[in-house]
Each structure stands twice: as structure tokens, then as C-alpha cells.
Amino acid sequence: MNRFFIRPMLIALLLLPHSLPATASEGSCYGYLTELVRSSDFPFRYVGKDKVNLLIDEDDGEVVRAQLFFDTDGTGTIGWIKYTPATRVLLNSSAELEEPVALSFDAKFADGYAKCLAEQQAG
């Protein structure tokens, strides 16, 4: 592949953040969110935290909802989270949608996520 093919392909991929797993190596802010979830006390039972990725279901600017999964022969769904950046509240919404469980996490990733969002909005 030459660089004239790769560049438009990368731009197209960056425009589709909701269809791709969020990882720390992406050019978006979702990598901070992935690390925030990995640092949390979410009950990771079937896989190590380092293997967990996020699939963003919704991001309306106020709330981010995501599916937690790991790669396997199929896709191993672990659960779902809801994160509110303004209040820095991370919820495990897997079991009880009406009463999700608040999770603790490493605040440095919330700081990084907030800073990244501010930089993106600034242009």
C-alpha cells in the first residue's frame, strides 16, 4: 500500500469512532476512557483488565455509554458502563439498569479524558 491510499483510509477510520473499539492507542479521547474503566473496580471475572476494550454505544456530549468486551473466538461481552464526564461518575449498568452501581477509578484518567475533550473542542 502506498501513502496515498493509507492516509484517506486513516481519515475514514477516525470519522467512525462509534463503530470501532476504544483503545488507548487511538487518536481519540476514548483511550483515556478505556484506561479509566480498566483502572476501576468493575468486576472483571473472566479476563484480565488489560484485555478489556470499550465499544461506544452512545456519546451525546453529556453521557458516554459503552459495552465492555474482550476479543475471543467470538466477542466476549463483559458488561456495560455509563460515564458522566461533568460529574466524573462511572457506573456499572450491567445488572441493574434502574440502580447501576457506582465504581471507583484512578482520577488521572478522568483528568486526561477531560483535558483531551477540552483540546478537541478548542480545535
Side-chain angles (χ1 to χ4, degrees), residues 3 5 8 16 24 31-32 34-35 37 40 45-46 48 52 65 72 74 83-85 96 100-101 104-105 112 123:
R3 66 183 174 149
F5 175 78
L16 299 171
Y32 291 103
T34 300
E35 294 304 324
V37 171
S40 77
R45 293 188 181 110
Y46 306 109
V52 173
R65 297 181 200 298
T72 179
Y83 182 64
T84 308
E96 294 290 330
V101 177
S104 60
F105 55 86

Side-chain angles (χ1 to χ4, degrees), residues 23-95:
T23 62
S25 62
E26 278 184 3
S28 75
C29 298
Y30 291 133
Y32 291 103
L33 191 58
T34 300
E35 294 304 324
L36 184 146
V37 171
R38 288 176 180 170
S39 75
S40 77
D41 58 348
F42 187 92
F44 299 99
R45 293 188 181 110
Y46 306 109
V47 67
K49 293 180 178 192
D50 61 322
K51 303 288 186 200
V52 173
N53 290 304
L54 301 183
L55 182 62
I56 305 301
D57 291 331
E58 175 188 352
D59 183 354
D60 63 7
E62 293 181 20
V63 173
V64 179
R65 297 181 200 298
Q67 176 185 31
L68 280 65
F69 74 97
F70 65 98
D71 289 327
T72 179
D73 289 334
T75 297
T77 300
I78 297 172
W80 290 265
I81 58 96
K82 174 183 170 184
Y83 182 64
T84 308
T87 58
R88 295 186 177 197
V89 172
L90 178 66
L91 300 172
N92 176 355
S93 57
S94 302

Side-chain angles (χ1 to χ4, degrees), residues 29 114-123:
C29 298
K115 182 178 177 184
C116 182
L117 289 178
E119 289 172 358
Q120 280 189 346
Q121 290 172 353

